């Protein structure tokens, strides 16, 4: 597989789309763990009934609680994705947190799992980034209202593009106060700029390997650049783009992509209250969150109490896999011990605050 083909596969797994529901069984409860169980819950966000799993111990005293936000697009409460398959990493993160006496809420975003598309069925293309943000805001309010949640110890852990919504919650002075953030493999720049950088890098690799001529590479880059300009200026996009890029940007998802692209993670990071504990992970093999690419976001988080974890050989779904191949995302390997070791230190502070 060429570098460009791998780019398209990875981008399709995380792009903002509503083309189908998640592949996993979102309603299946996690295994029991010392009284900690998943309770199927619902809450409403602007007319959409959102289904989720509230993982808690009903007999436990009030304590810290965390909202988990999955990757972008058609990724459900468990991290399962219609493209990548039953990934299950967010369910594993909930299991990890309950082992640390932290309750959690994870949920099926619009277009996935039990939530489905709801009132947007008549016009799926109307679903944009703001719908996902509204869902996240409703979720954190629901979590804050639970009797077992300590208001002084609410945190948000998010993966990939989900970190944008996590930072929006932290910067929102009108919602529940977020005491800590886990930004796992975060989006570090405007959405379409990130994809453009990947296109340029991947096409260059194909030229170097002989998979493409320079003329072919130039055609792909020109077509993509033109599509990005059209999306940003007109809100439309060509029906077909070369070599699989229509999986990333197409007439069905252009509204969502343009809304996501309008949000600047760097600007959001600067709005997070000073002193907020933040854990940011990046990886030397994750093409969506290379550590070098995260440097502007890391700098923008300078006012926070920031911990940066540079993972080695860890893929985008938080597991040890130096190939970062989308075909391996659904393997039921554990979350990387490199990450859990960092989480051990980070969540110990949350437990102390909420205990």
């Amino acid at each position: 597989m060429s570098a460009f083909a791998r780019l398209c596969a990875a981008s399709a797994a995380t792009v903002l789309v509503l083309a189908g529901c998640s592949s996993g069984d979102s309603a299946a409860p996690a295994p029991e763990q010392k009284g900690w169980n998943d309770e199927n819950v619902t809450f409403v966000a602007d007319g959409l009934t959102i289904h989720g799993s509230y993982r808690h111990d009903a007999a436990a005293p009030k304590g810290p609680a965390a909202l988990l936000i999955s990757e972008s697009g058609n990724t459900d409460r468990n991290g399962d994705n219609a493209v990548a398959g039953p990934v299950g990493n967010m369910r594993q993160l909930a299991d990890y947190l309950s082992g640390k006496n932290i309750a959690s809420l994870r949920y099926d975003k619009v277009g996935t799992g039990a939530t489905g598309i709801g009132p947007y069925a008549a016009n799926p293309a109307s679903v944009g980034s703001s719908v996902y943000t509204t869902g996240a805001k409703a979720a954190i309010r629901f979590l804050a209202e639970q009797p077992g949640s300590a208001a002084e110890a609410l945190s948000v852990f998010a993966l990939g593009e989900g970190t944008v919504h996590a930072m929006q919650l932290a910067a929102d002075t009108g919602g529940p106060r977020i005491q800590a953030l886990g930004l796992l493999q975060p989006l570090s720049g405007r959405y379409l700029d990130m994809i453009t950088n990947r296109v340029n890098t991947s096409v260059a690799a194909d030229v170097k390997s002989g998979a493409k001529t320079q003329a072919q590479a130039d055609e792909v880059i020109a077509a993509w650049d033109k599509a990005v300009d059209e999306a940003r200026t007109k809100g439309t996009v060509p029906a077909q783009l070369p070599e699989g890029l229509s999986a990333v940007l197409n007439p069905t998802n252009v509204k969502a992509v343009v809304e996501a692209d309008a949000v600047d993670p760097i600007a959001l990071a600067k709005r997070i209250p000073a002193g907020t504990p933040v854990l940011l992970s990046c990886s030397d093999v994750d093409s969506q969150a290379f550590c070098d690419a995260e440097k502007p976001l890391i700098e923008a988080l300078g006012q926070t109490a920031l911990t940066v974890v540079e993972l080695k050989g860890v893929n985008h779904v938080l597991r040890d896999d130096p190939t970062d191949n989308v075909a391996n995302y659904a393997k039921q390997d554990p979350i990387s011990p490199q990450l859990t070791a960092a989480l051990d230190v980070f969540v110990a502070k949350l437990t102390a605050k909420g205990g």
Side-chain angles (χ1 to χ4, degrees), residues 261-281:
D261 178 66
V263 179
D264 184 359
I266 303 300
L268 273 178
K270 293 177 180 179
R271 291 173 49 204
I272 295 172
T276 301
V278 177
L279 176 71
L280 182 149
S281 71

Side-chain angles (χ1 to χ4, degrees), residues 31-156:
E32 291 191 9
Q33 180 180 336
K34 297 181 179 180
W36 290 77
N37 293 282
D38 279 346
E39 177 187 351
N40 287 319
V41 296
T42 61
F43 50 92
V44 177
D46 196 20
L48 174 71
T49 299
I50 296 178
H51 294 249
S53 295
Y54 175 44
R55 187 162 179 77
H56 67 124
D57 182 354
K62 182 177 291 189
L67 175 65
L68 309 185
I69 305 178
S70 296
E71 181 60 90
S72 63
N74 57 336
T75 307
D76 72 7
R77 72 182 84 177
N78 293 327
D80 298 349
N81 188 284
V83 175
V87 178
N89 56 345
M90 302 307 284
R91 182 183 63 248
Q92 289 177 318
L93 183 57
D95 291 344
Y96 168 85
L97 291 173
S98 63
K100 301 294 182 180
N101 295 316
I102 298 176
S104 64
L105 172 67
R106 61 192 197 276
Y107 61 97
D108 295 331
K109 295 177 294 182
V110 59
T112 74
T115 297
I117 198 166
Y120 302 99
N123 186 15
S126 67
V127 176
S129 181
S130 60
V131 176
Y132 294 97
T133 301
T134 299
K137 288 182 177 180
I140 195 65
R141 288 195 300 269
F142 176 86
L143 182 62
E145 292 167 357
Q146 300 312 300
S149 297
E152 71 278 9
L154 291 176
S155 58
V156 184

Side-chain angles (χ1 to χ4, degrees), residues 174-306:
R177 185 180 177 188
I178 307 304
Q179 300 297 323
L181 282 177
L183 305 178
L184 308 177
Q185 317 300 90
L187 191 68
S188 59
R190 289 182 63 185
Y191 189 80
L192 286 172
D193 287 344
M194 299 285 291
I195 299 297
T196 297
N197 290 339
R198 294 178 205 165
V199 169
N200 292 337
T201 299
S202 299
V203 169
D206 281 350
V207 171
K208 184 176 181 179
S209 69
K212 279 185 176 60
T213 66
Q214 187 60 55
Q216 289 171 328
D218 291 343
E219 288 180 4
V220 171
I221 291 172
W224 174 253
D225 288 346
K226 183 178 179 181
V228 170
D229 181 68
E230 180 180 334
R232 283 176 167 170
T233 59
K234 300 179 181 179
T236 60
V237 67
Q240 292 294 328
L241 288 171
E243 303 194 45
L245 277 171
S246 288
V248 182
L249 182 62
N250 57 67
T252 300
N253 72 2
V254 64
K255 174 180 170 63
V257 170
V258 169
E259 280 195 14
D261 178 66
V263 179
D264 184 359
I266 303 300
L268 273 178
K270 293 177 180 179
R271 291 173 49 204
I272 295 172
T276 301
V278 177
L279 176 71
L280 182 149
S281 71
C282 56
S283 172
D284 62 343
V285 300
D286 181 358
S287 62
Q288 301 177 61
F290 284 133
C291 291
D292 283 347
E294 298 290 346
K295 288 180 179 178
L297 182 61
I298 290 169
E299 182 178 350
L301 289 164
Q303 81 282 9
T304 69
L306 178 64

